[in-house]
Amino acid sequence: MTYLAHTAHLQLASLASGTIGWILSLILTGIVQWREWDVANTTVITSGVAWVGIWRVCFFSDILVSSESRVMYCQRIGVLDSFVPPEIFAAQGLTIVAVIFVGMGKMTTIFALRKVYFGTEVEQWSQVYALFLIGGILYLISSVCILVPVVWNLHSVMTNQSIAFPQEFYMPSAPQTQQVGTALPLGIISCFLLLITGIFLVRYRLPSTSHAKVHPESRDHDEHDAGVSGTLSRETFSSMSSVLFSSVDQTSNSHLGIDNEAYEFDDKL
């Protein structure tokens, strides 16, 4: 098992930046504050301000709901509605693609980091590189998918573009003025974070084999070797002891001499 954690510090940091960018892209897709319209007729739009998002149009009204409290009135914008301008239509599709691609890139990055931090064989290094590369490309595509609708809608705000809303929306076709909503700055931040994440992942490089760090051998293996050595030592010691004692016995017997049969015969007499 080779240890590659020292090669993926930027990639680990990119996982955090990519997660923040993903959260911001989810918020960007759902909120209504893409474009802020200032309208002159406050009879229906009581506050004089309406918000145009990519999925809804909302404003506060005292008339459409009740006169005691101001309640936000919203109408849904569908993908197939004929009045939808191209910048909103593009935002509806591209933001969803970005959210899906970021999710796929995040999972790919997690798989690559798991191989890096839990160890991998030298033969599988190409898989780690491929996972980081695929994740980086997905993040880069997602950043472009966020950038295009954000810049397009920003241009529409700056040029005060109109939208021909249906009558049931109670919206004028053109506002007096337009301002940038909260969604556009969030989109710029999200795009930047996703772009940085993609660059970090694509720039991952594998180390040379000579600089690879190898995991130390397991403790169980060491204990097994120690047990075998201990067993061999005890056996060797036993054999040496038996040889030593046998030689001592032989030496002692040689000093005792041999019995004289004639002497034993005289004792009997």
Side-chain angles (χ1 to χ4, degrees), residues 102-136:
V102 173
M104 295 170 60
K106 184 178 177 65
M107 295 302 298
T108 305
T109 305
I110 291 174
F111 288 148
L113 289 173
R114 185 180 183 278
K115 287 181 173 292
V116 165
Y117 281 93
F118 284 89
T120 183
E121 301 293 341
V122 178
E123 295 79 8
Q124 298 178 348
W125 282 11
S126 59
Q127 298 180 7
V128 176
Y129 176 77
L131 288 172
F132 278 130
L133 181 62
I134 293 172

Tab-separated table of all heavy atoms in Angstrom, residues 102-136:
chain	number	residue	atom	x	y	z
A	102	VAL	N	-22.176	19.427	-10.219
A	102	VAL	CA	-21.397	19.637	-8.996
A	102	VAL	C	-21.562	18.446	-8.056
A	102	VAL	O	-20.593	17.999	-7.424
A	102	VAL	CB	-21.818	20.942	-8.299
A	102	VAL	CG1	-21.129	21.072	-6.952
A	102	VAL	CG2	-21.452	22.142	-9.158
A	103	GLY	N	-22.779	17.913	-7.948
A	103	GLY	CA	-22.986	16.727	-7.121
A	103	GLY	C	-22.169	15.537	-7.608
A	103	GLY	O	-21.557	14.815	-6.807
A	104	MET	N	-22.127	15.333	-8.927
A	104	MET	CA	-21.318	14.246	-9.481
A	104	MET	C	-19.829	14.483	-9.251
A	104	MET	O	-19.080	13.562	-8.908
A	104	MET	CB	-21.621	14.109	-10.974
A	104	MET	CG	-23.043	13.678	-11.285
A	104	MET	SD	-23.439	13.812	-13.055
A	104	MET	CE	-22.216	12.718	-13.768
A	105	GLY	N	-19.389	15.728	-9.436
A	105	GLY	CA	-17.982	16.044	-9.192
A	105	GLY	C	-17.592	15.870	-7.740
A	105	GLY	O	-16.478	15.431	-7.427
A	106	LYS	N	-18.501	16.197	-6.847
A	106	LYS	CA	-18.229	16.032	-5.414
A	106	LYS	C	-18.063	14.558	-5.066
A	106	LYS	O	-17.131	14.186	-4.328
A	106	LYS	CB	-19.377	16.649	-4.612
A	106	LYS	CG	-19.177	16.640	-3.108
A	106	LYS	CD	-20.344	17.325	-2.432
A	106	LYS	CE	-20.202	17.272	-0.922
A	106	LYS	NZ	-19.024	18.032	-0.454
A	107	MET	N	-18.925	13.693	-5.571
A	107	MET	CA	-18.812	12.267	-5.289
A	107	MET	C	-17.521	11.691	-5.879
A	107	MET	O	-16.843	10.884	-5.242
A	107	MET	CB	-20.028	11.530	-5.850
A	107	MET	CG	-21.344	11.896	-5.184
A	107	MET	SD	-21.334	11.584	-3.399
A	107	MET	CE	-21.074	9.818	-3.371
A	108	THR	N	-17.163	12.126	-7.090
A	108	THR	CA	-15.929	11.651	-7.708
A	108	THR	C	-14.709	12.064	-6.892
A	108	THR	O	-13.770	11.287	-6.698
A	108	THR	CB	-15.816	12.206	-9.135
A	108	THR	OG1	-16.988	11.867	-9.880
A	108	THR	CG2	-14.617	11.630	-9.849
A	109	THR	N	-14.727	13.302	-6.393
A	109	THR	CA	-13.613	13.783	-5.569
A	109	THR	C	-13.506	13.009	-4.267
A	109	THR	O	-12.405	12.687	-3.800
A	109	THR	CB	-13.797	15.282	-5.272
A	109	THR	OG1	-13.949	15.999	-6.507
A	109	THR	CG2	-12.610	15.830	-4.516
A	110	ILE	N	-14.634	12.680	-3.661
A	110	ILE	CA	-14.624	11.901	-2.419
A	110	ILE	C	-14.032	10.516	-2.658
A	110	ILE	O	-13.220	10.021	-1.851
A	110	ILE	CB	-16.043	11.808	-1.838
A	110	ILE	CG1	-16.504	13.183	-1.325
A	110	ILE	CG2	-16.103	10.783	-0.709
A	110	ILE	CD1	-17.937	13.217	-0.870
A	111	PHE	N	-14.378	9.871	-3.761
A	111	PHE	CA	-13.811	8.558	-4.074
A	111	PHE	C	-12.295	8.650	-4.256
A	111	PHE	O	-11.542	7.782	-3.789
A	111	PHE	CB	-14.452	7.994	-5.342
A	111	PHE	CG	-15.876	7.550	-5.154
A	111	PHE	CD1	-16.795	7.639	-6.191
A	111	PHE	CD2	-16.309	7.047	-3.940
A	111	PHE	CE1	-18.110	7.243	-6.021
A	111	PHE	CE2	-17.622	6.636	-3.761
A	111	PHE	CZ	-18.516	6.733	-4.806
A	112	ALA	N	-11.838	9.704	-4.946
A	112	ALA	CA	-10.401	9.865	-5.165
A	112	ALA	C	-9.665	10.107	-3.849
A	112	ALA	O	-8.604	9.514	-3.599
A	112	ALA	CB	-10.158	11.025	-6.133
A	113	LEU	N	-10.213	10.970	-2.991
A	113	LEU	CA	-9.578	11.242	-1.701
A	113	LEU	C	-9.570	10.006	-0.808
A	113	LEU	O	-8.643	9.810	-0.010
A	113	LEU	CB	-10.292	12.395	-1.001
A	113	LEU	CG	-10.078	13.780	-1.622
A	113	LEU	CD1	-10.963	14.812	-0.946
A	113	LEU	CD2	-8.618	14.198	-1.522
A	114	ARG	N	-10.581	9.185	-0.921
A	114	ARG	CA	-10.598	7.947	-0.131
A	114	ARG	C	-9.439	7.039	-0.533
A	114	ARG	O	-8.770	6.455	0.327
A	114	ARG	CB	-11.932	7.225	-0.328
A	114	ARG	CG	-12.091	5.990	0.538
A	114	ARG	CD	-13.434	5.314	0.295
A	114	ARG	NE	-13.619	4.178	1.173
A	114	ARG	CZ	-13.121	2.964	0.966
A	114	ARG	NH1	-12.397	2.735	-0.121
A	114	ARG	NH2	-13.343	1.980	1.831
A	115	LYS	N	-9.186	6.923	-1.827
A	115	LYS	CA	-8.057	6.119	-2.283
A	115	LYS	C	-6.730	6.731	-1.834
A	115	LYS	O	-5.778	6.022	-1.513
A	115	LYS	CB	-8.083	5.978	-3.810
A	115	LYS	CG	-9.159	5.044	-4.342
A	115	LYS	CD	-9.092	4.939	-5.848
A	115	LYS	CE	-10.050	3.874	-6.371
A	115	LYS	NZ	-9.641	2.507	-5.972
A	116	VAL	N	-6.671	8.054	-1.806
A	116	VAL	CA	-5.437	8.727	-1.431
A	116	VAL	C	-5.117	8.521	0.044
A	116	VAL	O	-3.986	8.188	0.416
A	116	VAL	CB	-5.543	10.235	-1.760
A	116	VAL	CG1	-4.450	11.016	-1.052
A	116	VAL	CG2	-5.438	10.460	-3.267
A	117	TYR	N	-6.107	8.687	0.911
A	117	TYR	CA	-5.863	8.671	2.349
A	117	TYR	C	-5.910	7.273	2.953
A	117	TYR	O	-5.381	7.070	4.047
A	117	TYR	CB	-6.865	9.582	3.056
A	117	TYR	CG	-6.487	11.035	2.942
A	117	TYR	CD1	-6.998	11.824	1.918
A	117	TYR	CD2	-5.595	11.620	3.832
A	117	TYR	CE1	-6.640	13.156	1.789
A	117	TYR	CE2	-5.229	12.949	3.712
A	117	TYR	CZ	-5.754	13.714	2.691
A	117	TYR	OH	-5.385	15.020	2.565
A	118	PHE	N	-6.534	6.325	2.294
A	118	PHE	CA	-6.568	4.971	2.817
A	118	PHE	C	-5.536	4.067	2.149
A	118	PHE	O	-5.471	2.880	2.437
A	118	PHE	CB	-7.965	4.366	2.656
A	118	PHE	CG	-8.964	4.897	3.653
A	118	PHE	CD1	-9.697	6.033	3.377
A	118	PHE	CD2	-9.146	4.268	4.873
A	118	PHE	CE1	-10.602	6.537	4.300
A	118	PHE	CE2	-10.052	4.758	5.791
A	118	PHE	CZ	-10.783	5.901	5.502
A	119	GLY	N	-4.767	4.626	1.247
A	119	GLY	CA	-3.717	3.855	0.601
A	119	GLY	C	-4.204	3.155	-0.651
A	119	GLY	O	-5.368	2.759	-0.760
A	120	THR	N	-3.302	3.005	-1.610
A	120	THR	CA	-3.635	2.343	-2.863
A	120	THR	C	-2.379	1.729	-3.458
A	120	THR	O	-1.258	2.157	-3.152
A	120	THR	CB	-4.264	3.341	-3.862
A	120	THR	OG1	-4.646	2.651	-5.052
A	120	THR	CG2	-3.276	4.445	-4.232
A	121	GLU	N	-2.558	0.748	-4.290
A	121	GLU	CA	-1.435	0.107	-4.945
A	121	GLU	C	-0.892	1.000	-6.064
A	121	GLU	O	-1.598	1.854	-6.589
A	121	GLU	CB	-1.855	-1.253	-5.529
A	121	GLU	CG	-2.403	-2.228	-4.500
A	121	GLU	CD	-1.346	-2.687	-3.510
A	121	GLU	OE1	-0.145	-2.539	-3.824
A	121	GLU	OE2	-1.719	-3.193	-2.436
A	122	VAL	N	0.362	0.767	-6.416
A	122	VAL	CA	0.989	1.563	-7.480
A	122	VAL	C	0.248	1.384	-8.794
A	122	VAL	O	0.115	2.325	-9.585
A	122	VAL	CB	2.473	1.171	-7.615
A	122	VAL	CG1	3.135	1.936	-8.748
A	122	VAL	CG2	3.215	1.412	-6.312
A	123	GLU	N	-0.262	0.183	-9.018
A	123	GLU	CA	-0.983	-0.084	-10.271
A	123	GLU	C	-2.279	0.710	-10.373
A	123	GLU	O	-2.823	0.882	-11.463
A	123	GLU	CB	-1.288	-1.577	-10.394
A	123	GLU	CG	-0.058	-2.474	-10.535
A	123	GLU	CD	0.632	-2.719	-9.206
A	123	GLU	OE1	0.065	-2.311	-8.169
A	123	GLU	OE2	1.739	-3.303	-9.206
A	124	GLN	N	-2.813	1.198	-9.229
A	124	GLN	CA	-4.080	1.927	-9.217
A	124	GLN	C	-3.884	3.445	-9.155
A	124	GLN	O	-4.851	4.183	-8.993
A	124	GLN	CB	-4.933	1.486	-8.027
A	124	GLN	CG	-5.320	0.011	-8.069
A	124	GLN	CD	-6.132	-0.407	-6.860
A	124	GLN	OE1	-6.242	0.318	-5.881
A	124	GLN	NE2	-6.707	-1.601	-6.928
A	125	TRP	N	-2.670	3.928	-9.285
A	125	TRP	CA	-2.437	5.369	-9.255
A	125	TRP	C	-3.152	6.081	-10.399
A	125	TRP	O	-3.625	7.202	-10.239
A	125	TRP	CB	-0.938	5.653	-9.326
A	125	TRP	CG	-0.226	5.435	-8.034
A	125	TRP	CD1	-0.718	4.824	-6.902
A	125	TRP	CD2	1.120	5.803	-7.728
A	125	TRP	NE1	0.227	4.801	-5.920
A	125	TRP	CE2	1.367	5.388	-6.380
A	125	TRP	CE3	2.128	6.442	-8.430
A	125	TRP	CZ2	2.594	5.604	-5.772
A	125	TRP	CZ3	3.349	6.653	-7.812
A	125	TRP	CH2	3.581	6.242	-6.500
A	126	SER	N	-3.232	5.427	-11.549
A	126	SER	CA	-3.907	6.048	-12.693
A	126	SER	C	-5.391	6.263	-12.407
A	126	SER	O	-5.983	7.232	-12.900
A	126	SER	CB	-3.738	5.170	-13.934
A	126	SER	OG	-4.276	3.864	-13.699
A	127	GLN	N	-6.005	5.395	-11.595
A	127	GLN	CA	-7.406	5.586	-11.222
A	127	GLN	C	-7.585	6.836	-10.368
A	127	GLN	O	-8.554	7.582	-10.536
A	127	GLN	CB	-7.921	4.356	-10.474
A	127	GLN	CG	-7.904	3.070	-11.282
A	127	GLN	CD	-8.414	1.887	-10.493
A	127	GLN	OE1	-8.911	2.031	-9.376
A	127	GLN	NE2	-8.299	0.693	-11.059
A	128	VAL	N	-6.658	7.075	-9.447
A	128	VAL	CA	-6.728	8.278	-8.615
A	128	VAL	C	-6.635	9.529	-9.481
A	128	VAL	O	-7.414	10.476	-9.330
A	128	VAL	CB	-5.607	8.256	-7.560
A	128	VAL	CG1	-5.599	9.541	-6.752
A	128	VAL	CG2	-5.765	7.057	-6.638
A	129	TYR	N	-5.692	9.542	-10.389
A	129	TYR	CA	-5.524	10.693	-11.284
A	129	TYR	C	-6.772	10.907	-12.139
A	129	TYR	O	-7.227	12.044	-12.327
A	129	TYR	CB	-4.304	10.484	-12.170
A	129	TYR	CG	-4.102	11.569	-13.180
A	129	TYR	CD1	-3.574	12.802	-12.818
A	129	TYR	CD2	-4.446	11.366	-14.522
A	129	TYR	CE1	-3.395	13.805	-13.749
A	129	TYR	CE2	-4.272	12.366	-15.456
A	129	TYR	CZ	-3.741	13.580	-15.060
A	129	TYR	OH	-3.573	14.575	-15.997
A	130	ALA	N	-7.334	9.813	-12.661
A	130	ALA	CA	-8.526	9.920	-13.515
A	130	ALA	C	-9.725	10.453	-12.739
A	130	ALA	O	-10.497	11.273	-13.249
A	130	ALA	CB	-8.848	8.560	-14.130
A	131	LEU	N	-9.886	10.019	-11.487
A	131	LEU	CA	-11.005	10.499	-10.673
A	131	LEU	C	-10.885	11.996	-10.392
A	131	LEU	O	-11.864	12.740	-10.487
A	131	LEU	CB	-11.071	9.720	-9.361
A	131	LEU	CG	-11.545	8.260	-9.460
A	131	LEU	CD1	-11.378	7.551	-8.128
A	131	LEU	CD2	-13.001	8.204	-9.910
A	132	PHE	N	-9.680	12.446	-10.052
A	132	PHE	CA	-9.484	13.879	-9.821
A	132	PHE	C	-9.720	14.677	-11.104
A	132	PHE	O	-10.298	15.767	-11.071
A	132	PHE	CB	-8.076	14.150	-9.295
A	132	PHE	CG	-7.930	13.937	-7.816
A	132	PHE	CD1	-6.903	13.153	-7.305
A	132	PHE	CD2	-8.811	14.526	-6.920
A	132	PHE	CE1	-6.768	12.962	-5.936
A	132	PHE	CE2	-8.681	14.336	-5.552
A	132	PHE	CZ	-7.658	13.542	-5.069
A	133	LEU	N	-9.274	14.155	-12.220
A	133	LEU	CA	-9.445	14.852	-13.496
A	133	LEU	C	-10.919	14.964	-13.874
A	133	LEU	O	-11.389	16.038	-14.276
A	133	LEU	CB	-8.667	14.123	-14.585
A	133	LEU	CG	-8.718	14.742	-15.986
A	133	LEU	CD1	-8.112	16.138	-15.978
A	133	LEU	CD2	-7.998	13.839	-16.990
A	134	ILE	N	-11.661	13.877	-13.726
A	134	ILE	CA	-13.094	13.900	-14.055
A	134	ILE	C	-13.836	14.855	-13.123
A	134	ILE	O	-14.684	15.642	-13.562
A	134	ILE	CB	-13.679	12.475	-13.964
A	134	ILE	CG1	-13.081	11.584	-15.052
A	134	ILE	CG2	-15.199	12.500	-14.090
A	134	ILE	CD1	-13.449	10.128	-14.916
A	135	GLY	N	-13.527	14.791	-11.835
A	135	GLY	CA	-14.168	15.710	-10.893
A	135	GLY	C	-13.869	17.162	-11.215
A	135	GLY	O	-14.751	18.019	-11.159
A	136	GLY	N	-12.620	17.458	-11.580
A	136	GLY	CA	-12.269	18.827	-11.933
A	136	GLY	C	-12.995	19.319	-13.166
A	136	GLY	O	-13.456	20.471	-13.222
